Amino acid sequence: LAPLKASAMPSTSASAPAMGDCVACHTAPKGKPFAGGLPMASPIGTIYSSNITPDKQSGIGSYSFEDFDKAVRHGIAKNGSTLYPAMPYPSYARVNQADMQALYAYFMNGVKPVAQENQAVDIPWPMSMRWPLAMWRWMFAPAVEDFTPVAQQDPVVSRGAYLVEGLGHCGACHTPRALPRQEKALTA
């Protein structure tokens, strides 16, 4: 196979929603796309994915771009609480602004709103408290900054690294976790 030229690759921003595969986690079996409700078992209990449709009451329809960016790249919900890292914000911390804008535009304009309330987590107290997650985020989530390609690296390799380490968030499922549940491959 001949190597793919960078100029022949589709724009990452145009394909950001597919590259992030948000539908995989934010759609329950037999559920409506992006309406949430997918159960995710964890060592501390079950977390359910949230409704990320533009429904103003139960989804993200009332989110500004800043609210959206804080949730996706920083792991901070609109109400100020820290999200469980089942949401791969440690990977999304590397997503660039153009792709964040593309994702926001897609969810606000290209997804049908679904009025479906989010399901509460099934995690027993005291593990269900959110405030310790802020410390976890501070200790283990990387700084939020746009991906920077390695100097002198082939652009195709750089784009692959961006997709695998950022939007594709491959390490979120395919990287061993340490005792506090952070990805061993990430460094804060």
Side-chain angles (χ1 to χ4, degrees), residues 7-178:
S7 60
M9 292 185 286
S11 162
T12 304
S13 294
S15 59
M19 295 294 112
D21 199 19
C22 308
V23 72
C25 291
H26 289 277
T27 304
K30 300 181 183 174
K32 295 194 175 165
F34 304 110
L38 180 73
M40 290 178 251
S42 80
I44 62 171
T46 302
I47 300 163
Y48 297 88
S49 62
S50 59
N51 181 342
I52 58 170
T53 72
D55 183 72
K56 291 197 183 289
Q57 281 70 45
S58 58
I60 61 169
S62 66
Y63 279 44
S64 66
F65 173 74
E66 290 74 23
D67 296 330
F68 182 77
D69 186 67
K70 269 185 124 172
V72 174
R73 297 200 311 161
H74 299 257
I76 301 170
K78 187 174 180 178
N79 68 7
S81 66
T82 296
L83 299 173
Y84 287 100
M87 167 63 179
Y89 58 86
S91 296
Y92 292 156
R94 293 172 171 81
V95 175
N96 66 43
Q97 281 292 310
D99 286 337
M100 288 302 300
Q101 291 284 352
L103 286 166
Y104 182 74
Y106 174 75
F107 283 110
M108 293 303 166
N109 304 302
V111 171
K112 183 179 178 183
V114 177
Q116 178 176 301
E117 291 300 321
N118 291 309
Q119 189 167 341
V121 298
D122 188 15
I123 298 173
W125 189 87
M127 298 302 286
S128 61
M129 294 187 297
R130 294 277 182 134
W131 66 267
L133 290 171
M135 290 187 290
W136 184 96
R137 184 173 33 86
W138 177 77
M139 290 170 48
F140 300 117
V144 174
E145 53 191 30
D146 285 5
F147 177 83
T148 305
V150 175
Q152 313 284 309
Q153 189 174 52
D154 181 312
V156 174
V157 173
S158 291
R159 181 167 187 268
Y162 172 69
L163 293 174
V164 167
E165 296 171 11
L167 268 175
H169 61 282
C170 300
C173 295
H174 300 285
T175 298
R177 302 262 177 176

